[in-house]
Amino acid sequence: DVKVTQSSRYLVKRTGEKVFLECVQDMDHENMFWYRQDPGLGLRLIYFSYDVKMKEKGDIPEGYSVSREKKERFSLILESASTNQTSMYLCASTDREGRYEQYFGPGTRLTVT
Amino acid sequence: GIQVEQSPPDLILQEGANSTLRCNFSDSVNNLQWFHQNPWGQLINLFYIPSGTKQNGRLSATTVATERYSLLYISSSQTTDSGVYFCAVANFGNEKLTFGTGTRLTIIP
């Protein structure tokens, strides 16, 4: 079974803080994704990584950066958290061969006060 | 980019009822997936179904790629089926999925 884990289930941070969200997958997947989910908007892609040290902007990358130093780990960084970044953050992974089925972590609900 | 529309946005059913959820998309796709998000937020992949029909227990899905829609069928609903169902698609050469806004299903005992 594919397992995708995220470092925190719930997180509360203050405006202006630097925030790190970590995601780890154990299936040797090449592709990893960060999404945010907001009511009525579905899932929106923030960043995508297709290999170590490789990244590509998604639909809403402003205010975020990412890091992928190891294949199994993909980090989302909020350089200076703002209240409009309060959201549910979901990490996913998929392999590059075959069907690209996406497997999701449990999510991190971030509140910025 | 590709547009994905799901209907209905909300569905409330009695336990034991059957339901059909629809996903329309605006362009040709080579990747279509259905997900279930449970009340605790976990997204589970139900089907990878860019075309054809698949069944898994009480759930089945059909995609008619030429007409740009997919249907998810849930039979004999149980309370554990409650949650949000998402359809997501990608077109050729694109590894990034575009998600619909989901159908919220509530099953009442």
Side-chain angles (χ1 to χ4, degrees):
Chain A
D1 266 2
V2 177
K3 193 157 186 188
V4 181
T5 57
Q6 295 183 227
S7 50
S8 304
R9 195 78 178 88
Y10 298 94
L11 208 51
V12 180
K13 295 292 181 180
R14 292 191 181 276
T15 300
E17 278 193 81
K18 191 168 186 176
V19 181
F20 293 87
L21 303 182
E22 301 279 329
C23 175
V24 177
Q25 49 91 8
D26 66 358
M27 283 301 293
D28 203 35
H29 283 170
E30 287 83 1
N31 295 343
M32 296 187 75
F33 305 82
W34 274 107
Y35 296 90
R36 66 176 280 176
Q37 183 180 15
D38 301 288
L41 297 177
L43 276 74
R44 294 180 292 167
L45 182 65
I46 304 171
Y47 266 99
F48 158 52
S49 169
Y50 50 93
D51 205 344
V52 174
K53 298 190 186 296
M54 307 305 285
K55 62 186 178 186
E56 197 171 302
K57 291 180 180 179
D59 301 318
I60 51 164
E62 297 78 19
Y64 304 94
S65 62
V66 289
S67 172
R68 191 150 178 220
E69 297 296 319
K70 293 185 177 181
K71 191 175 185 181
E72 68 270 18
R73 188 180 298 268
F74 191 33
S75 302
L76 180 70
I77 303 154
L78 286 66
E79 297 288 344
S80 177
S82 63
T83 55
N84 63 12
Q85 293 178 309
T86 291
S87 188
M88 170 73 114
Y89 290 88
L90 293 157
C91 175
S93 73
T94 180
D95 64 27
R96 298 203 75 186
E97 301 298 328
R99 307 185 303 182
Y100 304 108
E101 288 169 300
Q102 286 206 7
Y103 296 91
F104 280 84
T108 296
R109 190 167 293 281
L110 173 67
T111 302
V112 182
T113 61
Chain B
I2 196 165
Q3 306 296 313
V4 183
E5 287 186 9
Q6 291 187 242
S7 59
D10 291 280
L11 191 55
I12 301 174
L13 296 172
Q14 207 77 33
E15 199 168 22
N18 302 328
S19 57
T20 301
L21 283 58
R22 187 176 179 104
C23 172
N24 292 333
F25 43 95
S26 61
D27 203 351
S28 301
V29 299
N30 72 333
N31 186 343
L32 188 147
Q33 299 180 36
W34 282 97
F35 297 88
H36 173 225
Q37 186 172 40
N38 66 23
W40 296 272
Q42 176 73 59
L43 271 143
I44 303 295
N45 193 302
L46 297 175
F47 292 105
Y48 169 86
I49 187 165
S51 64
T53 297
K54 287 187 177 179
Q55 180 152 10
N56 184 2
R58 296 181 297 102
L59 274 62
S60 64
T62 295
T63 298
V64 183
T66 53
E67 297 187 23
R68 300 183 183 169
Y69 73 89
S70 183
L71 301 173
L72 178 69
Y73 305 97
I74 305 173
S75 64
S76 304
S77 298
Q78 300 175 359
T79 55
T80 52
D81 295 329
S82 294
V84 183
Y85 290 80
F86 289 100
C87 168
V89 304
N91 48 22
F92 294 91
N94 190 348
E95 295 174 70
K96 296 178 282 187
L97 291 173
T98 298
F99 282 76
T101 53
T103 292
R104 181 174 297 277
L105 177 64
T106 304
I107 304 299
I108 301 170

